[in-house]
Amino acid sequence: MRVQKRSIPLLPLLLYFSATPATARQARHSQVREVVRIWPGQAPGTEDWKAPEEGVDVTLPNVGKIHVITNVTVPTLTVFQPAGKANGTAMVVLPGGSFRALAWDVDGLETAQWLAANGITAFVLKYRVTPPVKGESFGESLEDFARATQARRAIAVADAEQAIRFVRSHARQYAVAADRVGIIGFSAGAMATVEVALVKDPAVRPNFAVAMYGAALTKEAPSAGAPPLFIAAAQDDPQLPAINSVEIFERWTRAGLPAELHIYEKGGHGFGFRRHDLPADRWPATFEAWLASHGYLPREQLR
C-alpha cells in the first residue's frame, strides 16, 4: 500500500501540552517506587537546560484526567517490580506528549502497573522534554511535525537507548534477563520506540517492541536484526490516523520481520489501559497473547 502525504489535525493534541503548567506535584500513587538516573552524570547535549520540572493535571476528551509533566532535565527510570515472582521479562515504558511533555500517569505509571501485575518488571522512562519556545511551530502535517521535532526526538531516542543499556547492565539486580528487554511507547513515545527498534547496535536495540497509536517519522527500513513489533491503534483516532500504524506494519512485513497489527474501530487517541467501553478496550488481552507467543509471558499466566 502506498501511503500518501497527509495533513493531520495535530493542533488539538499539541495544545494540551503547550499550556504553562502549574508547580510540579507528584501524581497520586500511594506506593513509593525506586527512581534511578540513567546517565552517570549530566545528560549529554542538554547541559544548558536549567528550568525546574513542572506538572499539571489536565482533562482530555475520551481519555479523562491525566497528569502531565514537562521541563524534564534529568532523565530517570521509575521501577515497578512484580509483587510476586518476576518472570524475567523487562519493559521500558515511553509516555507520549508530543516531545514537549509527558502523559505521565495514563501512558507511564498505569502501563507499568499492568505490566508488573503480569510478572513483567517495568521501567517508566522520564525522558527529557521542554515546552515549546516562543515562535516555535510544529506544523499541521505529520511531515511538518517530523521536521520540527527532529532535535527533540533525537534526545528522547538517546534517553531510550540509554535506558535499555541501563536495564541490561543491571539485569541481575532486577531479576530480569538481558535478552528479554522490550520497549513500549505511546503516541510520541511510539514514534521514539520505532526509531529505537530501527537502530543497528544490538547493545541498545530492544528484544521486542510495542508501538501504540504512533507513527514512523523516518524513512529508514528495518534491518535484519530489528525486533518483533506489536502495533495497535484506533480507526477513529483524530490526532494520528491509523494509516500511520499500517505503514509501520508494512515496513516490517516488507523486511520479512515479525509484526502484529490491530486496528480497532473505536478508541480515539490515548486510550492506554483505561476502560472506555469501546472496542479498543480489548487490546490488553491481545497484547498478552502476543507476549506469550514470543515467550515473554509464560502461557500459564494468561487469564
PDB file of all heavy atoms in Angstrom, residues 57-87:
ATOM      1  N   ASP A  57      -2.418  18.698  36.163  1.00  0.00           N
ATOM      2  CA  ASP A  57      -3.474  17.762  35.794  1.00  0.00           C
ATOM      3  C   ASP A  57      -4.351  18.412  34.739  1.00  0.00           C
ATOM      4  O   ASP A  57      -4.773  19.562  34.893  1.00  0.00           O
ATOM      5  CB  ASP A  57      -4.332  17.397  37.009  1.00  0.00           C
ATOM      6  CG  ASP A  57      -3.573  16.548  38.015  1.00  0.00           C
ATOM      7  OD1 ASP A  57      -2.645  15.826  37.604  1.00  0.00           O
ATOM      8  OD2 ASP A  57      -3.902  16.614  39.209  1.00  0.00           O
ATOM      9  N   VAL A  58      -4.616  17.678  33.652  1.00  0.00           N
ATOM     10  CA  VAL A  58      -5.497  18.173  32.597  1.00  0.00           C
ATOM     11  C   VAL A  58      -6.511  17.081  32.283  1.00  0.00           C
ATOM     12  O   VAL A  58      -6.318  15.916  32.619  1.00  0.00           O
ATOM     13  CB  VAL A  58      -4.718  18.544  31.309  1.00  0.00           C
ATOM     14  CG1 VAL A  58      -3.719  19.659  31.578  1.00  0.00           C
ATOM     15  CG2 VAL A  58      -4.010  17.326  30.723  1.00  0.00           C
ATOM     16  N   THR A  59      -7.605  17.466  31.649  1.00  0.00           N
ATOM     17  CA  THR A  59      -8.623  16.514  31.237  1.00  0.00           C
ATOM     18  C   THR A  59      -8.705  16.505  29.718  1.00  0.00           C
ATOM     19  O   THR A  59      -8.879  17.558  29.099  1.00  0.00           O
ATOM     20  CB  THR A  59      -9.992  16.877  31.835  1.00  0.00           C
ATOM     21  OG1 THR A  59      -9.893  16.854  33.268  1.00  0.00           O
ATOM     22  CG2 THR A  59     -11.055  15.874  31.401  1.00  0.00           C
ATOM     23  N   LEU A  60      -8.554  15.331  29.123  1.00  0.00           N
ATOM     24  CA  LEU A  60      -8.596  15.181  27.675  1.00  0.00           C
ATOM     25  C   LEU A  60      -9.876  14.464  27.259  1.00  0.00           C
ATOM     26  O   LEU A  60     -10.306  13.516  27.931  1.00  0.00           O
ATOM     27  CB  LEU A  60      -7.390  14.372  27.179  1.00  0.00           C
ATOM     28  CG  LEU A  60      -6.001  14.870  27.550  1.00  0.00           C
ATOM     29  CD1 LEU A  60      -4.947  14.017  26.869  1.00  0.00           C
ATOM     30  CD2 LEU A  60      -5.819  16.328  27.167  1.00  0.00           C
ATOM     31  N   PRO A  61     -10.470  14.878  26.164  1.00  0.00           N
ATOM     32  CA  PRO A  61     -11.670  14.192  25.670  1.00  0.00           C
ATOM     33  C   PRO A  61     -11.385  12.714  25.420  1.00  0.00           C
ATOM     34  O   PRO A  61     -10.330  12.360  24.867  1.00  0.00           O
ATOM     35  CB  PRO A  61     -11.986  14.927  24.357  1.00  0.00           C
ATOM     36  CG  PRO A  61     -11.322  16.251  24.491  1.00  0.00           C
ATOM     37  CD  PRO A  61     -10.088  16.021  25.316  1.00  0.00           C
ATOM     38  N   ASN A  62     -12.288  11.859  25.847  1.00  0.00           N
ATOM     39  CA  ASN A  62     -12.213  10.415  25.624  1.00  0.00           C
ATOM     40  C   ASN A  62     -11.061   9.732  26.361  1.00  0.00           C
ATOM     41  O   ASN A  62     -10.857   8.534  26.201  1.00  0.00           O
ATOM     42  CB  ASN A  62     -12.101  10.093  24.126  1.00  0.00           C
ATOM     43  CG  ASN A  62     -13.246  10.674  23.328  1.00  0.00           C
ATOM     44  OD1 ASN A  62     -14.393  10.645  23.759  1.00  0.00           O
ATOM     45  ND2 ASN A  62     -12.936  11.230  22.164  1.00  0.00           N
ATOM     46  N   VAL A  63     -10.291  10.478  27.150  1.00  0.00           N
ATOM     47  CA  VAL A  63      -9.207   9.890  27.926  1.00  0.00           C
ATOM     48  C   VAL A  63      -9.457  10.085  29.416  1.00  0.00           C
ATOM     49  O   VAL A  63      -9.318   9.177  30.217  1.00  0.00           O
ATOM     50  CB  VAL A  63      -7.839  10.501  27.535  1.00  0.00           C
ATOM     51  CG1 VAL A  63      -6.720   9.913  28.400  1.00  0.00           C
ATOM     52  CG2 VAL A  63      -7.544  10.259  26.067  1.00  0.00           C
ATOM     53  N   GLY A  64      -9.848  11.308  29.783  1.00  0.00           N
ATOM     54  CA  GLY A  64     -10.086  11.614  31.186  1.00  0.00           C
ATOM     55  C   GLY A  64      -8.958  12.440  31.766  1.00  0.00           C
ATOM     56  O   GLY A  64      -8.153  13.034  31.050  1.00  0.00           O
ATOM     57  N   LYS A  65      -8.904  12.477  33.067  1.00  0.00           N
ATOM     58  CA  LYS A  65      -7.914  13.280  33.764  1.00  0.00           C
ATOM     59  C   LYS A  65      -6.557  12.603  33.715  1.00  0.00           C
ATOM     60  O   LYS A  65      -6.425  11.409  33.991  1.00  0.00           O
ATOM     61  CB  LYS A  65      -8.345  13.481  35.218  1.00  0.00           C
ATOM     62  CG  LYS A  65      -7.516  14.503  35.982  1.00  0.00           C
ATOM     63  CD  LYS A  65      -8.105  14.716  37.375  1.00  0.00           C
ATOM     64  CE  LYS A  65      -7.347  15.790  38.136  1.00  0.00           C
ATOM     65  NZ  LYS A  65      -7.939  16.006  39.490  1.00  0.00           N
ATOM     66  N   ILE A  66      -5.535  13.357  33.338  1.00  0.00           N
ATOM     67  CA  ILE A  66      -4.173  12.825  33.303  1.00  0.00           C
ATOM     68  C   ILE A  66      -3.220  13.818  33.931  1.00  0.00           C
ATOM     69  O   ILE A  66      -3.512  15.018  34.029  1.00  0.00           O
ATOM     70  CB  ILE A  66      -3.718  12.492  31.864  1.00  0.00           C
ATOM     71  CG1 ILE A  66      -3.531  13.764  31.036  1.00  0.00           C
ATOM     72  CG2 ILE A  66      -4.681  11.533  31.189  1.00  0.00           C
ATOM     73  CD1 ILE A  66      -2.867  13.506  29.698  1.00  0.00           C
ATOM     74  N   HIS A  67      -2.087  13.309  34.364  1.00  0.00           N
ATOM     75  CA  HIS A  67      -1.030  14.155  34.936  1.00  0.00           C
ATOM     76  C   HIS A  67       0.059  14.336  33.896  1.00  0.00           C
ATOM     77  O   HIS A  67       0.611  13.352  33.384  1.00  0.00           O
ATOM     78  CB  HIS A  67      -0.454  13.522  36.200  1.00  0.00           C
ATOM     79  CG  HIS A  67       0.483  14.414  36.939  1.00  0.00           C
ATOM     80  ND1 HIS A  67       0.061  15.538  37.616  1.00  0.00           N
ATOM     81  CD2 HIS A  67       1.834  14.366  37.099  1.00  0.00           C
ATOM     82  CE1 HIS A  67       1.101  16.134  38.187  1.00  0.00           C
ATOM     83  NE2 HIS A  67       2.192  15.448  37.876  1.00  0.00           N
ATOM     84  N   VAL A  68       0.359  15.566  33.554  1.00  0.00           N
ATOM     85  CA  VAL A  68       1.334  15.902  32.520  1.00  0.00           C
ATOM     86  C   VAL A  68       2.521  16.588  33.171  1.00  0.00           C
ATOM     87  O   VAL A  68       2.354  17.475  34.022  1.00  0.00           O
ATOM     88  CB  VAL A  68       0.706  16.835  31.461  1.00  0.00           C
ATOM     89  CG1 VAL A  68       1.734  17.220  30.409  1.00  0.00           C
ATOM     90  CG2 VAL A  68      -0.487  16.158  30.810  1.00  0.00           C
ATOM     91  N   ILE A  69       3.734  16.191  32.786  1.00  0.00           N
ATOM     92  CA  ILE A  69       4.931  16.842  33.297  1.00  0.00           C
ATOM     93  C   ILE A  69       5.776  17.350  32.140  1.00  0.00           C
ATOM     94  O   ILE A  69       5.720  16.821  31.029  1.00  0.00           O
ATOM     95  CB  ILE A  69       5.767  15.901  34.183  1.00  0.00           C
ATOM     96  CG1 ILE A  69       6.195  14.649  33.407  1.00  0.00           C
ATOM     97  CG2 ILE A  69       5.008  15.529  35.435  1.00  0.00           C
ATOM     98  CD1 ILE A  69       7.095  13.735  34.205  1.00  0.00           C
ATOM     99  N   THR A  70       6.539  18.410  32.401  1.00  0.00           N
ATOM    100  CA  THR A  70       7.440  18.957  31.382  1.00  0.00           C
ATOM    101  C   THR A  70       8.654  19.560  32.085  1.00  0.00           C
ATOM    102  O   THR A  70       8.790  19.473  33.306  1.00  0.00           O
ATOM    103  CB  THR A  70       6.721  19.984  30.496  1.00  0.00           C
ATOM    104  OG1 THR A  70       7.565  20.296  29.374  1.00  0.00           O
ATOM    105  CG2 THR A  70       6.388  21.246  31.254  1.00  0.00           C
ATOM    106  N   ASN A  71       9.550  20.145  31.277  1.00  0.00           N
ATOM    107  CA  ASN A  71      10.835  20.634  31.790  1.00  0.00           C
ATOM    108  C   ASN A  71      11.590  19.510  32.497  1.00  0.00           C
ATOM    109  O   ASN A  71      12.115  19.684  33.594  1.00  0.00           O
ATOM    110  CB  ASN A  71      10.645  21.826  32.735  1.00  0.00           C
ATOM    111  CG  ASN A  71      10.460  23.124  31.986  1.00  0.00           C
ATOM    112  OD1 ASN A  71      10.961  23.293  30.873  1.00  0.00           O
ATOM    113  ND2 ASN A  71       9.732  24.052  32.587  1.00  0.00           N
ATOM    114  N   VAL A  72      11.632  18.362  31.852  1.00  0.00           N
ATOM    115  CA  VAL A  72      12.401  17.240  32.383  1.00  0.00           C
ATOM    116  C   VAL A  72      13.842  17.397  31.915  1.00  0.00           C
ATOM    117  O   VAL A  72      14.133  17.312  30.721  1.00  0.00           O
ATOM    118  CB  VAL A  72      11.828  15.891  31.917  1.00  0.00           C
ATOM    119  CG1 VAL A  72      12.716  14.739  32.386  1.00  0.00           C
ATOM    120  CG2 VAL A  72      10.406  15.720  32.425  1.00  0.00           C
ATOM    121  N   THR A  73      14.739  17.656  32.847  1.00  0.00           N
ATOM    122  CA  THR A  73      16.151  17.848  32.511  1.00  0.00           C
ATOM    123  C   THR A  73      17.022  16.696  32.988  1.00  0.00           C
ATOM    124  O   THR A  73      18.140  16.533  32.512  1.00  0.00           O
ATOM    125  CB  THR A  73      16.675  19.158  33.135  1.00  0.00           C
ATOM    126  OG1 THR A  73      16.546  19.076  34.559  1.00  0.00           O
ATOM    127  CG2 THR A  73      15.870  20.355  32.639  1.00  0.00           C
ATOM    128  N   VAL A  74      16.508  15.913  33.937  1.00  0.00           N
ATOM    129  CA  VAL A  74      17.240  14.758  34.465  1.00  0.00           C
ATOM    130  C   VAL A  74      16.443  13.498  34.140  1.00  0.00           C
ATOM    131  O   VAL A  74      15.460  13.182  34.820  1.00  0.00           O
ATOM    132  CB  VAL A  74      17.445  14.877  35.989  1.00  0.00           C
ATOM    133  CG1 VAL A  74      18.193  13.639  36.515  1.00  0.00           C
ATOM    134  CG2 VAL A  74      18.199  16.149  36.336  1.00  0.00           C
ATOM    135  N   PRO A  75      16.807  12.770  33.097  1.00  0.00           N
ATOM    136  CA  PRO A  75      16.049  11.562  32.731  1.00  0.00           C
ATOM    137  C   PRO A  75      16.233  10.451  33.757  1.00  0.00           C
ATOM    138  O   PRO A  75      17.351  10.198  34.223  1.00  0.00           O
ATOM    139  CB  PRO A  75      16.629  11.179  31.368  1.00  0.00           C
ATOM    140  CG  PRO A  75      17.986  11.798  31.345  1.00  0.00           C
ATOM    141  CD  PRO A  75      17.910  13.047  32.165  1.00  0.00           C
ATOM    142  N   THR A  76      15.125   9.802  34.101  1.00  0.00           N
ATOM    143  CA  THR A  76      15.152   8.750  35.114  1.00  0.00           C
ATOM    144  C   THR A  76      14.291   7.566  34.690  1.00  0.00           C
ATOM    145  O   THR A  76      13.494   7.654  33.757  1.00  0.00           O
ATOM    146  CB  THR A  76      14.615   9.264  36.466  1.00  0.00           C
ATOM    147  OG1 THR A  76      13.246   9.658  36.303  1.00  0.00           O
ATOM    148  CG2 THR A  76      15.437  10.437  36.980  1.00  0.00           C
ATOM    149  N   LEU A  77      14.443   6.486  35.433  1.00  0.00           N
ATOM    150  CA  LEU A  77      13.574   5.321  35.315  1.00  0.00           C
ATOM    151  C   LEU A  77      12.875   5.112  36.657  1.00  0.00           C
ATOM    152  O   LEU A  77      13.526   5.075  37.705  1.00  0.00           O
ATOM    153  CB  LEU A  77      14.372   4.064  34.964  1.00  0.00           C
ATOM    154  CG  LEU A  77      14.934   3.977  33.539  1.00  0.00           C
ATOM    155  CD1 LEU A  77      15.870   2.777  33.420  1.00  0.00           C
ATOM    156  CD2 LEU A  77      13.810   3.877  32.510  1.00  0.00           C
ATOM    157  N   THR A  78      11.555   4.985  36.614  1.00  0.00           N
ATOM    158  CA  THR A  78      10.781   4.619  37.794  1.00  0.00           C
ATOM    159  C   THR A  78      10.494   3.130  37.688  1.00  0.00           C
ATOM    160  O   THR A  78       9.899   2.678  36.710  1.00  0.00           O
ATOM    161  CB  THR A  78       9.475   5.415  37.878  1.00  0.00           C
ATOM    162  OG1 THR A  78       9.784   6.813  37.932  1.00  0.00           O
ATOM    163  CG2 THR A  78       8.676   5.031  39.119  1.00  0.00           C
ATOM    164  N   VAL A  79      10.926   2.368  38.690  1.00  0.00           N
ATOM    165  CA  VAL A  79      10.931   0.914  38.601  1.00  0.00           C
ATOM    166  C   VAL A  79       9.686   0.322  39.271  1.00  0.00           C
ATOM    167  O   VAL A  79       9.387   0.627  40.428  1.00  0.00           O
ATOM    168  CB  VAL A  79      12.197   0.327  39.255  1.00  0.00           C
ATOM    169  CG1 VAL A  79      12.265  -1.186  39.029  1.00  0.00           C
ATOM    170  CG2 VAL A  79      13.451   1.019  38.710  1.00  0.00           C
ATOM    171  N   PHE A  80       8.986  -0.520  38.530  1.00  0.00           N
ATOM    172  CA  PHE A  80       7.830  -1.252  39.046  1.00  0.00           C
ATOM    173  C   PHE A  80       8.180  -2.739  39.013  1.00  0.00           C
ATOM    174  O   PHE A  80       8.243  -3.336  37.941  1.00  0.00           O
ATOM    175  CB  PHE A  80       6.597  -1.008  38.184  1.00  0.00           C
ATOM    176  CG  PHE A  80       5.928   0.322  38.408  1.00  0.00           C
ATOM    177  CD1 PHE A  80       6.567   1.500  38.052  1.00  0.00           C
ATOM    178  CD2 PHE A  80       4.648   0.391  38.949  1.00  0.00           C
ATOM    179  CE1 PHE A  80       5.956   2.725  38.242  1.00  0.00           C
ATOM    180  CE2 PHE A  80       4.026   1.611  39.143  1.00  0.00           C
ATOM    181  CZ  PHE A  80       4.673   2.783  38.791  1.00  0.00           C
ATOM    182  N   GLN A  81       8.401  -3.327  40.173  1.00  0.00           N
ATOM    183  CA  GLN A  81       8.711  -4.746  40.238  1.00  0.00           C
ATOM    184  C   GLN A  81       7.453  -5.542  40.574  1.00  0.00           C
ATOM    185  O   GLN A  81       6.621  -5.099  41.359  1.00  0.00           O
ATOM    186  CB  GLN A  81       9.798  -4.994  41.275  1.00  0.00           C
ATOM    187  CG  GLN A  81      11.139  -4.389  40.882  1.00  0.00           C
ATOM    188  CD  GLN A  81      12.228  -4.669  41.902  1.00  0.00           C
ATOM    189  OE1 GLN A  81      12.065  -4.369  43.068  1.00  0.00           O
ATOM    190  NE2 GLN A  81      13.331  -5.238  41.433  1.00  0.00           N
ATOM    191  N   PRO A  82       7.286  -6.710  39.975  1.00  0.00           N
ATOM    192  CA  PRO A  82       6.103  -7.523  40.255  1.00  0.00           C
ATOM    193  C   PRO A  82       5.982  -7.845  41.742  1.00  0.00           C
ATOM    194  O   PRO A  82       6.992  -8.049  42.430  1.00  0.00           O
ATOM    195  CB  PRO A  82       6.335  -8.788  39.427  1.00  0.00           C
ATOM    196  CG  PRO A  82       7.279  -8.357  38.343  1.00  0.00           C
ATOM    197  CD  PRO A  82       8.165  -7.326  38.967  1.00  0.00           C
ATOM    198  N   ALA A  83       4.745  -7.876  42.232  1.00  0.00           N
ATOM    199  CA  ALA A  83       4.520  -8.214  43.638  1.00  0.00           C
ATOM    200  C   ALA A  83       4.897  -9.660  43.913  1.00  0.00           C
ATOM    201  O   ALA A  83       5.411  -9.993  44.974  1.00  0.00           O
ATOM    202  CB  ALA A  83       3.062  -7.960  44.007  1.00  0.00           C
ATOM    203  N   GLY A  84       4.645 -10.532  42.936  1.00  0.00           N
ATOM    204  CA  GLY A  84       5.014 -11.935  43.069  1.00  0.00           C
ATOM    205  C   GLY A  84       6.359 -12.194  42.405  1.00  0.00           C
ATOM    206  O   GLY A  84       7.228 -11.327  42.365  1.00  0.00           O
ATOM    207  N   LYS A  85       6.501 -13.379  41.842  1.00  0.00           N
ATOM    208  CA  LYS A  85       7.755 -13.747  41.194  1.00  0.00           C
ATOM    209  C   LYS A  85       7.859 -13.093  39.822  1.00  0.00           C
ATOM    210  O   LYS A  85       6.958 -13.195  38.996  1.00  0.00           O
ATOM    211  CB  LYS A  85       7.836 -15.271  41.060  1.00  0.00           C
ATOM    212  CG  LYS A  85       9.160 -15.753  40.471  1.00  0.00           C
ATOM    213  CD  LYS A  85       9.199 -17.266  40.383  1.00  0.00           C
ATOM    214  CE  LYS A  85      10.522 -17.723  39.772  1.00  0.00           C
ATOM    215  NZ  LYS A  85      10.585 -19.211  39.649  1.00  0.00           N
ATOM    216  N   ALA A  86       8.975 -12.413  39.577  1.00  0.00           N
ATOM    217  CA  ALA A  86       9.207 -11.817  38.265  1.00  0.00           C
ATOM    218  C   ALA A  86       9.454 -12.930  37.253  1.00  0.00           C
ATOM    219  O   ALA A  86      10.085 -13.950  37.563  1.00  0.00           O
ATOM    220  CB  ALA A  86      10.397 -10.868  38.319  1.00  0.00           C
ATOM    221  N   ASN A  87       8.968 -12.749  36.028  1.00  0.00           N
ATOM    222  CA  ASN A  87       9.142 -13.793  35.006  1.00  0.00           C
ATOM    223  C   ASN A  87      10.391 -13.592  34.158  1.00  0.00           C
ATOM    224  O   ASN A  87      10.607 -14.309  33.191  1.00  0.00           O
ATOM    225  CB  ASN A  87       7.900 -13.892  34.121  1.00  0.00           C
ATOM    226  CG  ASN A  87       7.602 -12.614  33.338  1.00  0.00           C
ATOM    227  OD1 ASN A  87       8.503 -11.825  33.058  1.00  0.00           O
ATOM    228  ND2 ASN A  87       6.338 -12.424  32.992  1.00  0.00           N
TER     229      ASN A  87
END
